[in-house]
Amino acid sequence: MSSMKDDIVAQIELAGGRHDEAEIYGGAAGDLGLTGGPGSMSWEINGDLASVGAAGVGAILMEVLHPSVMHGVFTQSSYRINPYARSRNTLGYVLRTTFGNTEAAIAVIEKVKKIHGYVNGTRADGVAYRALDPQLIAWVHTCIPWAIMMAFDHYNRPLSRAEKDRYLTEQAVIGRMGGADWVPETVSELEDYVERMRSFMAYNDQTRQFADFLLGTSGDIATTRRQRFESWMGLHGSMTMMPDWARKMTGTYHSEFVERIVLRPNEKLKYRIVRWAMGEMPCKAMALARAAGVRAPTTSEGIAASAPVRQVA
Ligand code: HEM
């Protein structure tokens, strides 16, 4: 009979994937990958799956507030047919670019750029767009580390301004390699940038339908009442970390009371359950072993239990 922990891990892996491929997270001894290796803010923050999970759905909703991004996703993504594959690949992108060896990290960025090369169109209001427009890439990129950093700051440990700046600077490498000319690298650049971008944002019919999909109420997939409740709590909880204007625009704004008594405690509980069930993520354990030049523990040796690793040669 499987334990409660196994069931939770299975559920997390169904939606998020395993991320323990040796060819991606293993590799040459001492290879630190793209974001700085052990000791970097990226490895600390993105290594906390619970923070990445708490941030995810809010980051996605922020990304699609840009009507060009929304149109591209709405008309050219298979998210309705294969939502788990999309969420696994999106999480995989964050983990590979942070913990993957340099070759694997560059490869996933190039692969996704190739996919984006085919994504373009014209919105209902006549505005033509292409996913590889550096400004669109910059917006989507920004929403990801921004949301993860906020989640970590709320639920793991408070980050100093200098730590946040370091994290954004490390992650900016990924944004630029993904096709952006410029992305914010400090908290003040982030705040100015979000304020500048605000006038481009919209909550249109496509966004409404997309939000319904996230909430499990669009009818695209069968959902139980409990799943819809959990999705509602997850989306509204994740959006508590975003600016008030975005929460008002998306109908996820609540009073301080509801936030403090209902949404934040629920997010905190989920956060604790994920940390308890998952322990150290396999991809991080493998990347740490790679960086230190030691053999990565295999899953059967218990990566999550931080099995001791043996020196190679
Ligand atoms: C740095 C910015 C971006 C990142 C990190 C990103 C991430 C990704 C990833 C990881 C995939 C592959 C998903 C898979 O293989 O299942 C993907 C596909 C896609 N992206 Fe992006 N994206 C970005 C920007 C954009 C923008 C600006 C648009 C729209 C204007 C867009 C629209 C799409 C679409 C339509 C797909 C195809 C999804 C599918 O096949 O279902 N992306 N993106």
Side-chain angles (χ1 to χ4, degrees), residues 21 46 59 110-111 137 192 217 267 291 296 301 309:
E21 302 92 327
N46 290 2
E110 290 307 316
K111 185 178 156 205
I137 294 290
D192 288 352
T217 54
E267 285 295 286
E301 285 170 331
V309 288

Side-chain angles (χ1 to χ4, degrees), residues 45-96:
I45 295 175
N46 290 2
D48 183 23
L49 182 64
S51 291
V52 179
V57 72
I60 291 171
L61 190 55
M62 290 305 294
E63 291 167 11
V64 299
L65 284 187
H66 195 299
S68 297
V69 178
M70 185 67 264
H71 193 277
V73 170
F74 194 84
T75 60
Q76 291 155 75
S77 164
S78 60
Y79 72 86
R80 293 180 199 82
I81 304 162
N82 214 343
Y84 285 143
R86 293 286 79 81
S87 59
R88 284 194 289 261
N89 291 347
T90 304
L91 175 62
Y93 188 85
V94 172
L95 299 177
R96 283 178 192 210

Side-chain angles (χ1 to χ4, degrees), residues 5-6 18 52 67 85 94 138 148-149 157 179 233 245 273 279 303:
K5 208 177 215 176
D6 292 340
R18 275 199 60 75
V52 179
V94 172
I148 297 174
M149 179 178 87
R157 68 171 181 87
M233 292 291 277
W245 63 260
I273 291 172
I303 289 168

Side-chain angles (χ1 to χ4, degrees), residues 112-133:
V112 168
K113 268 168 94 172
K114 205 166 167 195
I115 297 173
H116 287 146
Y118 298 104
V119 178
N120 53 64
T122 304
R123 292 170 6 196
D125 58 4
V127 175
Y129 68 88
R130 57 189 185 93
L132 280 181
D133 176 342

Side-chain angles (χ1 to χ4, degrees), residues 151-162:
F152 190 91
D153 187 55
H154 271 104
Y155 300 114
N156 190 309
R157 68 171 181 87
L159 295 164
S160 70
R161 191 136 173 144

